[in-house]
Amino acid sequence: MIRIILTLSYWLFATSEIAIQPPSEVIARDTPNDHGNSITILWQLSPDDSLVERYEILRGVAGEESLSVINSVIAGERCYIDDKVKDGTKYVYQIVAIRDSLRAVSEISKPAESKGQWFNTNRINVLIGVILFSSLILYFIVQSRKGKAPYIRR
């Protein structure tokens, strides 16, 4: 009798669908220090992230109504880099939390536009080295033009 009650209670609770909450604060922005054609999407996880199976990322051109699925990430991820965009086009994004047949849809992000950067700020040390080396060469050229003989070790 107890076995039947336990089996029935498991079946009732295991098959009941529990609503999940959507992710929030979807932010889309240009990926820093890249050559362009890339937008980084960030979001706050669903409060029910432990129940979520995956998040689908939807993209659309700003001003148009339709959004299409571009990829999905596993639960727990809160960032995605979309590297299939065109520079100069504004895109909007939406994140959908999925569990079985349940879907919780976030708000649509503000438009973001991709563009290439001229200088990668992660390589500032190379810039400093080039400036120092160039300065040394220019210093010795100026000293040679003034008539001062360069010291050459023999």
Side-chain angles (χ1 to χ4, degrees):
M1 184 64 149
I2 293 177
R3 180 181 269 181
I4 294 172
I5 292 173
L6 288 175
T7 304
L8 285 175
S9 64
Y10 173 77
W11 182 77
L12 286 173
F13 291 113
T15 59
S16 65
E17 292 186 353
I18 301 170
I20 55 174
Q21 294 181 6
S24 59
E25 299 178 33
V26 180
I27 299 170
R29 62 178 176 218
D30 180 40
T31 304
N33 298 320
D34 70 343
H35 57 81
N37 300 325
S38 174
I39 293 177
T40 301
I41 304 103
L42 305 166
W43 64 88
Q44 291 296 318
L45 297 175
S46 166
D48 302 319
D49 186 62
S50 61
L51 302 174
V52 172
E53 292 174 0
R54 69 182 189 278
Y55 293 101
E56 280 187 348
I57 296 103
L58 285 71
R59 174 183 68 201
V61 176
E64 294 181 8
E65 291 186 24
S66 65
L67 296 174
S68 58
V69 177
I70 56 170
N71 207 342
S72 65
V73 295
I74 61 172
E77 291 287 324
R78 60 181 69 206
C79 175
Y80 177 75
I81 296 177
D82 183 7
D83 57 358
K84 307 249 185 310
V85 297
K86 293 181 182 176
D87 285 349
T89 304
K90 292 188 177 187
Y91 294 96
V92 292
Y93 293 87
Q94 191 172 43
I95 309 299
V96 180
I98 297 177
R99 176 179 183 238
D100 299 326
S101 62
L102 296 175
R103 299 169 57 87
V105 181
S106 73
E107 296 290 323
I108 295 176
S109 72
K110 292 181 181 176
E113 181 180 359
S114 170
K115 60 184 174 188
Q117 283 72 42
W118 282 52
F119 183 74
N120 184 344
T121 56
N122 293 331
R123 297 187 177 221
I124 196 86
N125 56 346
V126 174
L127 176 65
I128 292 170
V130 167
I131 289 172
L132 287 174
F133 185 72
S134 300
S135 298
L136 280 172
I137 289 176
L138 289 175
Y139 171 77
F140 286 114
I141 289 173
V142 169
Q143 292 302 314
S144 295
R145 285 192 176 175
K146 286 183 178 178
K148 187 174 183 182
Y151 174 75
I152 299 176
R153 190 177 202 180
R154 294 183 191 181

